[in-house]
Amino acid sequence: MRVSKKWLKKYVDFRIGDDLLAERLTMAGLEVESVTSQAANLKGIIVGEVRSVGIHPNADRLSLCSVFDGSGEVQVVCGAPNVESGQKVAFAAVGTTVPRSQHDPDGVPMQIGRVKIRGVESSGMICSGFELGLSDDREGILVLDSSARPGTPLSRHLHLDDTAFDIGVTANRPDLLSHIGVAREISALTRSPLKIPPVHLRTTRRGSLPLKVQVQDGRNCRRYSARVVRDITVGPSPGWLQALLTAAGVRPINNVVDVTNYVLMEIGQPLHAFDYDKLSGHQIIVRGGDDTSRFVTLDGKERIVDSSTLLICDGEGPVALAGVMGGENSEISGSTKTVVLESAYFDPVSIRRTAKRLGLSTEASQRFERGTDPNITLWALNRAADLLSQNAGGTVQDTLVDVYPRVIRELRIDFNAENSNKLLGIKLSNQTISGLLKRIGIECVGRPTRQGKIRFRVPTWRPDISREVDLIEEVARLYGYDKIEADTKIHLTLDVSPSRRSIEDDLGDYLSSAGYQEIITNSMLSARESANSTGESVRILNPISREMETLRSDLLHSMLTVIQHNINNGISSSRFYEFGKTYRMDPNGDPEKLGSFHEEEKLLIAIFGLQEPVFWGNRTEQSTIFTLKGECNALIRKISLDNPRYIPYSTPTALSERSIFIEISGERVGMIGTVSGDLLKIFDLESDIHFLELSMTRLTNFPKEKIQFREYPRYPVVTRDLAVVVDESVSIGDLGESIRQAAGEMLGEMAVFDIYRGNQLEPGKKSVAFSLEFIPREKTLGQEEIQAIMSRIMQRVSTTFNAVLRQ
Amino acid sequence: MTPLDQRIDDVRSSALREISEAGDRSALDGVRVKYLARKGHIAALFEELSSVPPDQKPAAGKALNLLRREIQAAFDARLGQAAHPEGRRIDRTDLTLPGKQKWVGSRHPLTQTLDEIRGIFRRMGFAVATGPEIEDDYHNFEALNFPPDHPARDMQDTFFISKNVLLRTHTSPVQIRVMENTPPPVRVIIPGRVYRNEAISARSYCLFHQVEGLYVDQGVTFRELKGTLVSFAKQFYGSSLKYRFRPSYFPFTEPSAEMDITCFLCGGEGCRVCKKTGWLEILGCGMVDPNVYSFVGYDPKKVSGYAFGMGIERIAMLRFGLDDIRILFENDVRFLRQFA
């Protein structure tokens, strides 16, 4: 809501500076987003006279103008189609700043420099209405009336000496969508009285024109007031009215429309003016739409009306969408002689539904859907009629229509100061509270009860106040939030449930220390990217774009987007991880039920390029799937779970070329894989990318193994190497498992440190070298005991795998 | 460089390295046999001299002789050291060589910001709760006192999955879920991802992260809400911070407030970031609206409480001086590395 300072001063006499006013309004809950002084905004911009217009030698669409600035002539290149010799224009000389740049979407200020445009020097700029912040017209320059004197500051010529305050009005305060509403707050803040101008309407009985009003839908139209004003002459509004509207951000149109807008901005009551002669049967019927039909609103667009739409109709059909927008068929035109002014109270929900359904939000609908004051319709109606008679030569008929079968009365709310003090943590007396509320028109009625309760009467312009707690908020607001001292000494109920560090924190800390970089990505993807094998992907009804119309079913696609971005930016090695959710819907699940949707917390790690940074001491290896298989052991160990079991799976899937499934205690918790060629192709990637995915949801469900000290044997550990030759087909995992079984409980760590194939072996054979660590239980191990174990191992592997000891 | 020259260089560097690495006399002798003996590497290179073109022979011969003298000298010197093990051994390692590097990872700046916020509230006795991102209208709006067809719903542009199911627009539905499942007192913070159907720009993204706080107990006051948030802000932003609370509107709190702190970029003078106001809005808060208690079965006559919420992206952007929210979701390594 943009309010004009001059306009506000009509209702309250305040004498504080603009900045202080802005601050006090903000602290009262009327957040002032910007303060704009018209004169300051147009500083340095003057009236100029176009003395000549020539052709730019190098550009067809540009003209070469000579502009007289009151003291001399300067050459200016101008791109506007409407520039003509002899015009008085708004001229910005070199060094001044125009409020908005025509070429910037946000319209940021632009400083004028001396520039060459297509090879011709230009010293200054002839401004458009948009650039000056006076209108949205970007098409041509602003042409001033011919009486303007070159050299005069533009703000003085246009009488632009007002200040505008842009206030972010919260959704609960319809009363603040008007100057009187804001003035009421200023009055409360500055303790200057609020003056609402009385309306002295002169009416006539002569030659009465008939008007019949019938409200059929009394639930959605609670009050309908109307008047007829005849003999008007449609034309421009007087300067003072135009200036106030302009300052408040409303574009002047003609005296009839301007008057209705003026009253709207003054007290917040939306009014509508119909052309009386276009109303068939000179009657108005307020009713719901009967059937789906079409109707053209005065913005020239065809709207579909249905049975839920509240309509204003004449004898034939709709003439307006009630509370939203009038129709083209009853619009005021230059030849309108008689108008019907409508001032009504419509049900907020009905208006909101229509505005939402049609995607049509207007100044009127915004106020009706928040709740207007049903008891100001007559004031507003008479005010507008009076202004029409003064500014459009109209004669006001004395017949007044006011259909208001059930009066909406002011609410009375019981208030207990004790409750208020308890909630806020302060001590205010009944008297102080009554005094505060009185400033905004909330009056105490009767005397306090024996229990100390007082009763307040809430004016109908405050539909947001219906309970004691709503009044408590007003008390706090008017008392001042800042006067309520912060209390850092608190009473606290201590937690008695076991504290647990989340495994996500444990894993995240580990991964970051191990050189992995955490990423956070968008969880909305295209339908193709979230195609799902385990259920239906979750589809958004109103997505921003096709690229984001579903929720992801895996983390890999967003990860690859990140990898692609980095590879395209010259990064050749990286390791990333992300904690994120994946989403799916039960096949044939009911989309209206929350139970049909499932979210799973996952961890995805992906690596590509070198295993570690290059080093002069040895050659650096590329990352492989085994890098991640090793990392997986460390991760699981980090969160104290059972050893994982790995199940290799060489059949390619849509996502991976080869996979290793990870099981813990018999349950699958994730997989390790190498990104499939198809997927790499989609992302236009060439390097091998390996990934490890773990379901955090499942890992969290396992009971964490408690760390429990076990006595360990204090004898020296003995290490032995063992190299065996086996057929190429033998799986090394199985071989290792067999060794572990044969070795018995003394075997500690076991590692594979070499695999050899070559001319020292028979074809089709490989040699696998293990390093075995033995931890003696009872006494120091002697040569013989070790030898016995080693023979046992050899015996087992030669039987099972036909293995031969490599000499 | 001819192939032979290359080989000479290779032999020189490996011989010198092995000589310097040989730990004892026998190891050193092994190196001598390998390079200097009659069938050693240097002798082998001399044999190749016959296949070198005649015009290059003198130069090649000279280089080979130089190699032999050099290796012999290094061997002699090392042998001298080995002969006197108690003598100080001269270490010829070039210590200016770079060390073996590791990849350095880090948590995402948003996680770092959240961790810090979470840590502060944990020390103030808040537990952590979470909830689903796919929500129903009841938890996201209705139970939070957003009546159907109320303009307050316009405050949050919503992505819908169906008529009744949507992507949560704030973490506040988790307040409802926590209260539905726990009798008072509750004292939790709720971090999580939320969605808004807004055009993507430098200032807004289609999703972001919030931390929500909720405390309901007997006798909780607005003063205490202020105290808790002032304590948080001073721990997070520094104890000299200036702040203000101003009235605002959220359907699920009454009274409602927004908390501003002095712009730490301009010190309150007014700059682009604080839109010339000198103040930065950091969070929204208020006393839980009694209507919310009715939805979750709490008795509004017996308990009172407060709730607050803040956007992690906004706080991270202010803290790290970012002016485009999209950079947080692009995950460019050159950006992420700055937070290691």
Side-chain angles (χ1 to χ4, degrees):
Chain A
M1 172 75 191
R2 172 175 286 192
V3 292
S4 132
K5 182 170 153 188
K6 279 189 174 174
W7 199 338
L8 289 171
K9 287 219 171 187
K10 287 172 167 276
Y11 316 111
V12 61
D13 184 21
F14 56 92
R15 282 147 208 247
I16 50 176
D18 295 347
D19 289 342
L20 185 58
L21 179 65
E23 192 192 317
R24 297 197 56 187
L25 285 171
T26 298
M27 292 309 286
L30 286 73
E31 189 182 1
V32 175
E33 288 159 353
S34 65
V35 180
T36 324
S37 148
Q38 289 176 330
N41 232 6
L42 298 176
K43 203 173 159 208
I45 295 168
I46 55 167
V47 175
E49 183 180 342
V50 183
R51 287 270 167 95
S52 68
V53 179
I55 295 161
H56 190 291
N58 308 322
D60 293 346
R61 296 214 179 134
L62 298 178
S63 13
L64 208 54
C65 308
S66 176
V67 176
F68 176 63
D69 64 5
S71 54
E73 285 186 35
V74 289
Q75 176 176 280
V76 175
V77 176
C78 180
N82 64 333
V83 64
E84 277 172 29
S85 177
Q87 281 171 337
K88 301 287 171 58
V89 294
F91 178 66
V94 171
T96 54
T97 301
V98 295
R100 296 198 282 185
S101 162
Q102 188 120 338
H103 308 291
D104 189 288
D106 298 329
V108 297
M110 175 176 72
Q111 200 183 8
I112 304 299
R114 194 182 309 274
V115 289
K116 269 194 176 169
I117 299 172
R118 292 286 195 99
V120 177
E121 193 155 286
S122 179
S123 307
M125 187 170 86
I126 306 176
C127 306
S128 68
F130 178 86
E131 285 158 339
L132 298 168
L134 298 177
S135 74
D136 286 330
D137 186 3
R138 301 176 186 231
E139 298 306 314
I141 54 164
L142 180 74
V143 180
L144 306 171
D145 61 89
S146 54
S147 67
R149 276 194 33 215
T152 316
L154 182 70
S155 58
R156 197 190 309 156
H157 171 71
L158 293 175
H159 305 291
L160 294 172
D161 52 355
D162 203 351
T163 302
F165 296 83
D166 275 303
I167 301 176
V169 175
T170 53
N172 59 331
R173 293 292 304 271
D175 63 306
L176 296 180
L177 296 172
S178 69
H179 281 78
I180 288 179
V182 175
R184 185 178 291 116
E185 293 287 331
I186 297 174
S187 145
L189 294 173
T190 59
R191 316 271 192 102
S192 330
L194 179 72
K195 302 167 292 186
I196 296 182
V199 183
H200 305 291
L201 189 62
R202 276 168 309 174
T203 58
T204 177
R205 286 176 179 216
R206 280 183 304 112
S208 227
L209 297 169
L211 175 71
K212 232 173 73 189
V213 173
Q214 190 192 359
V215 177
Q216 289 177 358
D217 185 348
R219 234 189 47 191
N220 291 323
C221 175
R222 307 277 297 271
R223 185 173 193 180
Y224 198 95
S225 318
R227 264 195 187 284
V228 177
V229 183
R230 58 184 165 84
D231 307 328
I232 59 156
T233 311
V234 177
S237 302
W240 67 268
L241 209 169
Q242 292 202 28
L244 287 182
L245 286 177
T246 305
V250 180
R251 193 162 51 96
I253 294 170
N254 60 46
N255 46 11
V256 178
V257 176
D258 292 354
V259 160
T260 57
N261 282 338
Y262 180 83
V263 176
L264 170 85
M265 297 303 285
E266 181 175 44
I267 198 149
Q269 171 66 46
L271 300 175
H272 188 67
F274 298 98
D275 186 328
Y276 177 83
D277 296 316
K278 292 180 188 164
L279 291 179
S280 155
H282 302 310
Q283 59 172 326
I284 279 173
I285 302 160
V286 187
R287 61 167 172 84
D290 30 21
D291 241 331
T292 305
S293 60
R294 288 160 197 283
F295 172 65
V296 179
T297 43
L298 48 77
D299 54 2
K301 290 193 179 132
E302 193 177 65
R303 310 282 176 178
I304 293 171
V305 173
D306 66 10
S307 60
S308 71
T309 315
L310 187 66
L311 295 173
I312 311 295
C313 303
D314 63 5
E316 279 172 15
V319 290
L321 301 173
V324 182
M325 194 179 268
E328 218 173 42
N329 54 8
S330 58
E331 193 183 356
I332 304 297
S333 69
S335 58
T336 299
K337 290 279 165 267
T338 307
V339 299
V340 175
L341 284 175
E342 166 201 284
S343 178
Y345 176 78
F346 299 116
D347 178 61
V349 171
S350 160
I351 301 306
R352 178 173 163 80
R353 285 192 182 155
T354 301
K356 272 259 139 184
R357 189 178 61 77
L358 297 173
L360 182 60
S361 177
T362 60
E363 293 284 339
S365 72
Q366 282 169 24
R367 286 171 177 79
F368 281 124
E369 69 180 34
R370 282 164 173 74
T372 53
D373 182 353
N375 297 321
I376 55 161
T377 59
L378 287 188
W379 187 92
L381 186 64
N382 293 337
R383 175 78 164 159
D386 186 30
L387 287 169
L388 277 185
S389 73
Q390 287 176 40
N391 301 300
T395 306
V396 184
Q397 289 197 172
D398 72 343
T399 44
L400 166 73
V401 179
D402 186 21
V403 185
Y404 193 19
R406 267 179 311 166
V407 175
I408 298 170
R409 293 189 196 284
E410 294 169 321
L411 272 184
R412 283 165 167 72
I413 298 173
D414 288 339
F415 187 90
N416 189 338
E418 201 185 307
N419 291 343
S420 172
N421 288 337
K422 238 176 92 182
L423 190 69
L424 300 176
I426 51 174
K427 280 199 160 43
L428 297 180
S429 67
N430 273 343
Q431 208 181 356
T432 311
I433 288 169
S434 306
L436 288 170
L437 293 176
K438 193 172 179 205
R439 292 192 213 163
I440 51 167
I442 299 175
E443 305 253 5
C444 180
V445 285
R447 294 175 163 281
T449 65
R450 220 175 298 152
Q451 295 83 27
K453 276 192 186 170
I454 31 181
R455 178 167 281 197
F456 287 104
R457 189 174 58 210
V458 182
T460 44
W461 65 75
R462 290 297 304 268
D464 58 313
I465 299 177
S466 61
R467 304 165 300 169
E468 185 184 51
V469 69
D470 301 324
L471 288 174
I472 296 176
E473 178 173 62
E474 291 304 302
V475 170
R477 195 171 72 81
L478 293 163
Y479 178 70
Y481 279 15
D482 272 4
K483 276 205 256 165
I484 302 174
E485 215 179 312
D487 187 359
T488 47
K489 212 164 134 193
I490 60 164
H491 163 87
L492 189 61
T493 308
L494 295 174
D495 209 343
V496 289
S497 52
S499 115
R500 242 177 298 163
R501 199 174 134 76
S502 81
I503 63 171
E504 185 175 320
D505 289 346
D506 286 338
L507 295 183
D509 288 351
Y510 167 77
L511 285 166
S512 302
S513 318
Y516 292 84
Q517 179 61 61
E518 186 184 23
I519 62 170
I520 293 181
T521 64
N522 190 346
S523 34
M524 293 186 284
L525 296 177
S526 71
R528 181 180 54 76
E529 288 171 311
S530 66
N532 195 335
S533 53
T534 54
E536 284 180 40
S537 54
V538 181
R539 204 169 261 280
I540 297 162
L541 288 183
N542 54 336
I544 292 185
S545 66
R546 294 289 303 276
E547 280 64 49
M548 290 188 225
E549 63 178 344
T550 54
L551 292 180
R552 64 185 172 195
S553 61
D554 61 69
L555 300 183
L556 192 56
H557 284 84
S558 20
M559 173 67 81
L560 290 175
T561 307
V562 171
I563 291 177
Q564 181 191 40
H565 167 87
N566 281 292
I567 286 182
N568 288 347
N569 279 284
I571 304 292
S572 53
S573 303
S574 251
R575 18 174 69 190
F576 293 118
Y577 73 98
E578 176 172 26
F579 289 105
K581 280 183 171 177
T582 59
Y583 314 79
R584 70 184 169 81
M585 183 185 168
D586 288 332
N588 311 318
D590 180 353
E592 297 295 344
K593 293 222 168 79
L594 214 46
S596 311
F597 299 90
H598 306 279
E599 298 176 20
E600 189 172 6
E601 208 56 81
K602 282 191 178 158
L603 163 63
L604 181 74
I605 304 172
I607 56 176
F608 63 95
L610 294 179
Q611 184 125 255
E612 51 193 6
V614 286
F615 180 58
W616 51 271
N618 58 306
R619 223 167 61 97
T620 310
E621 313 256 314
Q622 293 285 314
S623 298
T624 68
I625 195 167
F626 297 102
T627 316
L628 288 179
K629 198 177 172 190
E631 209 64 86
C632 185
N633 279 335
L635 285 169
I636 301 293
R637 200 146 160 185
K638 206 71 210 164
I639 51 174
S640 312
L641 294 181
D642 254 1
N643 284 332
R645 213 164 81 83
Y646 297 106
I647 300 138
Y649 189 75
S650 19
T651 317
T653 69
L655 298 185
S656 69
E657 212 58 65
R658 51 192 173 187
S659 321
I660 303 169
F661 294 123
I662 308 162
E663 276 186 6
I664 292 179
S665 314
E667 189 187 346
R668 182 178 297 176
V669 296
M671 68 172 286
I672 305 167
T674 301
V675 176
S676 73
D678 289 350
L679 203 48
L680 288 180
K681 219 173 282 163
I682 291 173
F683 284 90
D684 203 14
L685 291 169
E686 277 163 9
S687 36
D688 276 351
I689 296 167
H690 310 284
F691 67 94
L692 159 60
E693 182 199 73
L694 287 170
S695 163
M696 298 300 291
T697 304
R698 290 186 196 178
L699 289 180
T700 309
N701 287 340
F702 289 115
K704 209 169 164 174
E705 281 190 357
K706 279 218 182 91
I707 296 178
Q708 176 74 54
F709 170 73
R710 286 180 309 252
E711 188 54 62
Y712 58 94
R714 317 272 171 122
Y715 309 102
V717 167
V718 178
T719 311
R720 280 285 179 276
D721 292 348
L722 172 72
V724 293
V725 178
V726 289
D727 280 347
E728 191 59 77
S729 62
V730 169
S731 126
I732 295 175
D734 294 348
L735 188 60
E737 198 48 45
S738 179
I739 292 174
R740 182 166 284 284
Q741 278 171 19
E745 61 170 1
M746 250 190 285
L747 181 63
E749 297 288 328
M750 172 174 72
V752 176
F753 71 90
D754 188 37
I755 299 165
Y756 175 81
R757 300 172 176 91
N759 46 18
Q760 294 184 21
L761 297 177
E762 281 174 46
K765 297 273 186 189
K766 64 186 169 193
S767 156
V768 187
F770 293 88
S771 161
L772 309 174
E773 178 197 80
F774 295 102
I775 305 165
R777 301 281 144 171
E778 283 154 11
K779 59 182 173 79
T780 305
L781 277 182
Q783 279 302 330
E784 313 82 63
E785 283 118 325
I786 301 256
Q787 205 42 57
I789 299 172
M790 296 299 277
S791 319
R792 209 159 68 219
I793 293 172
M794 265 326 291
Q795 199 169 359
R796 168 73 74 92
V797 296
S798 62
T799 325
T800 319
F801 300 105
N802 209 12
V804 179
L805 191 66
R806 187 172 180 217
Q807 300 298 339
Chain B
M1 206 182 254
T2 66
L4 186 59
D5 286 343
Q6 178 65 53
R7 304 258 305 283
I8 290 173
D9 274 355
D10 289 349
V11 166
R12 178 186 288 116
S13 61
S14 60
L16 288 175
R17 195 182 71 234
E18 284 172 43
I19 288 171
S20 77
E21 283 171 357
D24 54 29
R25 228 193 163 114
S26 72
L28 197 54
D29 203 45
V31 178
R32 185 188 63 77
V33 171
K34 186 171 169 189
Y35 290 98
L36 294 166
R38 214 178 312 150
K39 287 194 173 171
H41 286 311
I42 294 173
L45 290 178
F46 269 103
E47 276 170 34
E48 285 182 27
L49 210 50
S50 57
S51 57
V52 171
D55 57 326
Q56 293 173 19
K57 244 178 212 164
K62 209 170 157 191
L64 277 173
N65 279 316
L66 181 67
L67 171 71
R68 184 156 58 189
R69 276 204 303 280
E70 214 176 320
I71 302 302
Q72 188 66 53
F75 173 77
D76 291 347
R78 191 78 178 91
L79 188 67
Q81 286 168 8
H84 307 285
E86 68 280 4
R88 280 175 70 101
R89 168 179 155 184
I90 296 160
D91 185 348
R92 288 170 193 275
T93 316
D94 179 357
L95 295 178
T96 64
L97 279 169
K100 191 169 163 102
Q101 301 295 308
K102 297 268 183 200
W103 298 127
V104 176
S106 77
R107 303 224 63 166
H108 192 279
L110 287 177
T111 311
Q112 293 184 24
T113 308
L114 170 62
D115 272 352
E116 197 174 336
I117 297 170
R118 218 168 36 168
I120 292 171
F121 282 109
R122 275 195 171 151
R123 288 194 292 279
M124 294 199 277
F126 286 83
V128 178
T130 54
E133 291 169 21
I134 301 176
E135 261 297 0
D136 53 15
D137 184 272
Y138 177 79
H139 288 90
N140 195 75
F141 288 125
E142 203 179 333
L144 287 163
N145 199 30
F146 287 80
D149 295 306
H150 193 277
R153 291 194 174 209
D154 291 346
M155 290 159 76
Q156 304 180 350
D157 289 317
T158 311
F159 285 114
F160 289 95
I161 304 293
S162 63
K163 203 162 159 270
N164 180 47
V165 176
L166 44 84
L167 297 181
R168 68 176 176 196
T169 55
H170 46 181
T171 41
S172 310
V174 187
Q175 284 187 25
I176 303 297
R177 292 186 176 278
V178 168
M179 288 190 278
E180 278 172 342
N181 295 316
T182 333
V186 294
R187 190 172 172 87
V188 290
I189 53 160
I190 303 153
R193 175 172 290 201
V194 304
Y195 298 81
R196 298 274 171 96
N197 194 346
E198 287 166 8
I200 295 176
S201 70
R203 301 255 154 262
S204 81
Y205 199 62
C206 47
L207 56 87
F208 61 98
H209 299 80
Q210 284 186 332
V211 193
E212 182 101 3
L214 174 72
Y215 179 42
V216 182
D217 204 340
Q218 284 173 18
V220 181
T221 65
F222 188 77
R223 275 189 70 194
E224 181 178 334
L225 164 65
K226 278 187 73 173
T228 307
L229 293 176
V230 167
S231 165
F232 159 73
K234 292 200 168 188
Q235 290 185 59
F236 192 81
Y237 291 103
S239 50
S240 60
L241 153 124
K242 284 203 200 102
Y243 62 87
R244 69 181 190 185
F245 284 80
R246 54 186 167 76
S248 187
Y249 169 65
F250 307 106
F252 43 102
T253 52
E254 186 88 352
S256 304
E258 273 171 317
M259 184 182 185
D260 296 341
I261 59 169
T262 331
C263 178
F264 42 75
L265 295 160
C266 62
E269 295 289 310
C271 64
R272 196 175 52 84
V273 174
C274 62
K275 292 189 195 128
K276 305 239 155 78
T277 62
W279 293 98
L280 294 172
E281 182 191 320
I282 56 162
L283 55 82
C285 59
M287 303 305 292
V288 177
D289 192 291
N291 286 0
V292 173
Y293 294 136
S294 315
F295 279 106
V296 298
Y298 281 15
D299 183 351
K301 288 205 177 68
K302 287 190 180 145
V303 293
S304 62
Y306 59 72
F308 57 84
M310 59 191 107
I312 302 171
E313 276 77 359
R314 174 167 172 78
I315 289 179
M317 286 170 74
L318 290 173
R319 161 157 278 202
F320 299 123
L322 309 176
D323 57 6
D324 189 334
I325 190 170
R326 291 168 294 195
I327 201 170
L328 288 164
F329 299 98
E330 191 177 61
N331 300 293
D332 191 300
V333 167
R334 293 162 295 182
F335 168 72
L336 297 172
R337 269 183 199 152
Q338 299 177 23
F339 299 91

